[in-house]
Amino acid sequence: MEVPTTKVPEVRDITRMERIGAHSHIRGLGLDDALEARQVSQGMVGQKKARRAAGIITKMIKDGKIAGRAVLLAGQPGTGKTAIAMGIAQSLGPDTPFTAMSGSEIFSLEMGKTEALTQAFRKSIGVRIKEESEIIEGEVVEVQVDRPATGTGAKVGKLTLKTTEMETIYDLGTKMIESVTKEKVQAGDVITIDKATGKISRLGRSFTRARDYDAMGPQTKFVQCPEGELQKRKEVVHTVSLHEIDVINSRTQGFLALFSGDTGEIKTEVREQINTKVAEWREEGKADIVPGVLFVDEVHMLDIECFSFLNRALESDMAPLLIMATNRGITKIRGTNYKSPHGLPIDLLDRLLIISTSPYEEKDLEQILKIRCEEEDVEMSEDALTVLTKIAQETSLRYAIHLITSSNLCCRKRKGTEVDVEDIKKVYSLFFDQGRSTQFLREYQQEFMFNEEELTPSMDIS
C-alpha cells in the first residue's frame, strides 16, 4: 500500500534581530491587487509611477520571467531609490534570494573584481532541493517505560499513538526511550517521529486536553488530532544559494567554511562541476533553480571592466535579476575618459529597463517624516512637524530625518514629552546642512588650509 504524501510546514527556530535603520520602516511596495500604488502604504510614500513599475518587475520575478535582465533606478539623491529596492526585497519574501551591495565594495575585497561580482551573482541564485522522508505522526495515548526490578539492564517501553482513524502500539528501544524522556512526551501530546533519524518533534497538545488548559500555562499550543494513516511521507525543502554550495565544495572543512568569513577566490573548475550537478538535479526533479535579485547601489562606482563583465554575465542561463541604482547625471565612465548618461556604458544602458524617480512634494515629505517619527518612537507636535517639513524642502530629506532623533534628545533633556518648534530650532542651529556649511566656508575660507582653490559651480548651493 502506497504511503500518502503530506506537506509538513517547516519550523524556523531563528529569531531575527530588528534594529532601526534608514529603511527599516519599509514593509513592501505599497501596491494593491491591480499593482496600483497607494499614496501611503507599507512605509512607502509618493513615487507612484516608480513603485508601479517596480511592482510589475516584482510580479515578473515571482513568475520567473525576468531572470538575466537588468533594471536601473535613476534619480536625484534622496528620492527613494534604495527604499524602492528594499520594497522589492520585502515583497518577494524570504524564499527569493536577495543580495544587496554597494558599487565601491568590490574594490575593498581581497579578491579580483570579477570574482567579487561572480560571488555576488551566485549568492542571488537559489537552489531549492527537495527531500522525502517517512514520518509517524499521531496523538500520544500512553507512554509506558518499564525499568528492570534489579536496577540494571536495558529499559523497555511501549508508545501508543492514534489518529482519528487508527491506533497502534510501538515497542521502544533504549535510544527512543531516551528521546521520549528528553522531550518530556506525555499522553495528550501530538508528536512526529522521523523514521530515518528517530528524531521526535512535539507539535503541541491535542484539543481533547483543552480542559486541562489552566494546568498547562498560556504558552501551550493546541492542535487537532492528525487524520488518516499514522505513517506519512514528508517532503522537506531546503533552499541554499549557489555561492553556499561553491564554498562548501571548495574548502576542506566542508560546510564549516560558511562560518569562516573569508571565502577567498573559488576555482572555475569547482563552479563548472557544481553547475553540471545542479543541472542533473533539475532534470531528475530533485531541485529547482530560484533566480533571485542582486541590488547594486551607487553603480556608477564600478569601472569599465566591471561593466564588461556584467554585460557577459547577464547572458548566462543562470543569472539573477540585476537591479542598479545611481544618482549621477551625464558623467565619466570610471576607468575611461568618455562621458555617458548615469556613468554607464551605452551598450549596458541598452539592456536596462530604466525606472526614474522624481523629487518629493511637500505633502509627501511631511508624511515620510511622520512615518520616521513613528519608527523612531518620537512624539512630535504638528507645528514642529511643519517646521521640519519646511527644512526638508529647503535642505534635504536626509538632513531633516537626522534632526528627528537629535531633537528628541533635546526634548528629553528638558524633560518634555513632545518635540516642539524650539527643539527643532536648537538642533538646526547646532548641526549645519550642506548649504550653510558651504556658506560658512565662503565667509571664512581664508582661515582654512588650501584656500587658494575656488569653489566649483557644482558646489554652489545658495
Side-chain angles (χ1 to χ4, degrees):
M1 185 176 70
E2 191 177 339
V3 180
T5 302
T6 58
K7 290 274 186 180
V8 178
E10 186 180 346
V11 180
R12 293 180 183 269
D13 296 327
I14 298 169
T15 304
R16 189 174 176 181
M17 184 183 75
E18 294 290 345
R19 61 180 287 274
I20 295 173
H23 298 96
S24 57
H25 62 287
I26 304 295
R27 306 280 182 262
L29 286 168
L31 306 174
D32 59 20
D33 293 338
L35 298 182
E36 291 290 343
R38 300 186 185 98
Q39 179 59 28
V40 181
S41 181
Q42 296 183 317
M44 298 293 283
V45 179
Q47 299 292 0
K48 286 189 175 182
K49 281 179 68 177
R51 283 160 55 203
R52 176 164 167 69
I56 293 168
I57 296 293
T58 307
K59 183 77 169 66
M60 291 169 78
I61 297 167
K62 287 179 177 177
D63 294 344
K65 294 178 179 176
I66 198 170
R69 300 192 201 176
V71 176
L72 177 67
L73 294 165
Q76 300 168 30
T79 52
K81 297 182 295 298
T82 309
I84 289 171
M86 293 300 126
I88 291 173
Q90 295 282 4
S91 301
L92 291 171
D95 293 334
T96 305
F98 185 92
T99 309
M101 64 178 291
S102 175
S104 55
E105 275 182 41
I106 63 163
F107 299 105
S108 61
L109 300 170
E110 292 180 359
M111 62 179 79
K113 292 176 284 190
T114 54
E115 173 66 18
L117 284 170
T118 302
Q119 289 192 11
F121 261 67
R122 290 176 78 85
K123 281 178 189 173
S124 310
I125 303 165
V127 182
R128 194 179 284 132
I129 303 166
K130 302 169 191 171
E131 283 183 340
E132 274 196 357
S133 60
E134 286 194 8
I135 63 163
I136 300 168
E137 183 180 62
E139 180 185 331
V140 179
V141 178
E142 186 185 12
V143 182
Q144 185 182 350
V145 177
D146 297 326
R147 294 171 178 80
T150 56
T152 57
K155 296 176 185 176
V156 291
K158 291 187 186 324
L159 176 68
T160 309
L161 288 178
K162 71 166 186 177
T163 66
T164 53
E165 296 176 14
M166 62 185 294
E167 185 174 312
T168 307
I169 299 172
Y170 294 95
D171 290 323
L172 300 177
T174 310
K175 284 188 177 179
M176 285 302 294
I177 290 171
E178 286 176 8
S179 298
V180 167
T181 310
K182 185 181 175 184
E183 291 294 325
K184 298 187 173 102
V185 173
Q186 55 186 338
D189 286 346
V190 177
I191 64 168
T192 62
I193 304 170
D194 191 321
K195 287 184 74 175
T197 61
K199 184 185 175 185
I200 298 175
S201 304
R202 289 174 65 188
L203 302 180
R205 294 286 288 171
S206 172
F207 272 115
T208 56
R209 304 293 175 126
R211 63 179 180 274
D212 304 330
Y213 176 75
D214 292 337
M216 304 282 175
Q219 72 280 0
T220 306
K221 182 182 176 185
F222 289 98
V223 294
Q224 293 284 0
C225 179
E227 298 177 355
E229 299 275 333
L230 273 163
Q231 292 193 40
K232 300 182 176 82
R233 281 191 185 276
K234 179 179 76 167
E235 188 179 78
V236 182
V237 179
H238 309 283
T239 303
V240 293
S241 70
L242 275 178
H243 176 66
E244 287 168 341
I245 301 174
D246 293 346
V247 173
I248 290 167
N249 286 278
S250 66
R251 296 287 181 273
T252 52
Q253 65 265 44
F255 77 94
L256 292 175
L258 292 170
F259 305 101
S260 65
D262 182 21
T263 56
E265 297 210 5
I266 296 167
K267 292 179 181 177
T268 311
E269 296 82 13
V270 173
R271 289 203 175 107
E272 286 174 354
Q273 288 172 5
I274 289 166
N275 289 349
T276 306
K277 195 67 184 172
V278 169
E280 285 177 18
W281 290 346
R282 288 173 73 184
E283 286 176 12
E284 294 167 7
K286 291 181 181 176
D288 294 322
I289 294 293
V290 187
V293 176
L294 172 59
F295 173 56
V296 184
D297 207 355
E298 308 293 337
V299 72
H300 53 265
M301 294 300 293
L302 299 180
D303 60 15
I304 191 68
E305 295 167 12
C306 297
F307 290 131
S308 299
F309 173 83
L310 290 178
N311 259 329
R312 181 71 188 87
L314 286 170
E315 292 175 353
S316 168
D317 58 348
M318 285 203 296
L321 170 69
L322 177 64
I323 298 180
M324 302 179 282
T326 179
N327 54 23
R328 293 294 193 267
I330 297 172
T331 186
K332 276 187 182 178
I333 303 167
R334 188 167 179 172
T336 73
N337 290 320
Y338 297 103
K339 285 190 175 182
S340 177
H342 313 298
L344 275 68
I346 298 295
D347 57 339
L348 181 59
L349 277 172
D350 277 346
R351 292 175 177 268
L352 305 181
L353 290 167
I354 302 175
I355 300 174
S356 181
T357 57
S358 53
Y360 288 108
E361 296 175 4
E362 184 179 353
K363 66 177 189 298
D364 295 337
L365 291 172
E366 184 175 352
Q367 191 63 50
I368 292 167
L369 292 170
K370 195 179 286 185
I371 290 169
R372 288 305 304 177
C373 286
E374 289 171 7
E375 181 72 12
E376 297 180 30
D377 201 17
V378 174
E379 292 288 334
M380 187 173 290
S381 69
E382 286 295 326
D383 291 343
L385 188 63
T386 303
V387 171
L388 197 61
T389 306
K390 192 72 176 168
I391 290 170
Q393 267 190 298
E394 293 178 357
T395 57
S396 71
L397 177 59
R398 287 172 180 159
Y399 174 69
I401 288 172
H402 288 319
L403 296 186
I404 293 173
T405 307
S406 48
S407 62
N408 189 42
L409 289 171
C410 285
C411 175
R412 281 159 55 189
K413 185 77 175 172
R414 63 173 176 80
K415 294 184 170 55
T417 57
E418 190 178 63
V419 174
D420 62 20
V421 176
E422 290 305 314
D423 298 317
I424 299 290
K425 283 181 178 177
K426 184 161 188 176
V427 293
Y428 182 73
S429 64
L430 288 173
F431 303 106
F432 278 15
D433 60 271
Q434 186 184 357
R436 284 184 295 155
S437 180
T438 306
Q439 188 64 36
F440 179 80
L441 287 176
R442 274 211 182 85
E443 292 176 12
Y444 296 98
Q445 63 176 316
Q446 297 302 323
E447 311 297 326
F448 287 86
M449 295 178 66
F450 306 111
N451 58 63
E452 60 274 0
E453 289 291 333
E454 288 293 325
L455 287 171
T456 60
S458 62
M459 295 172 64
D460 190 356
I461 309 299
S462 61

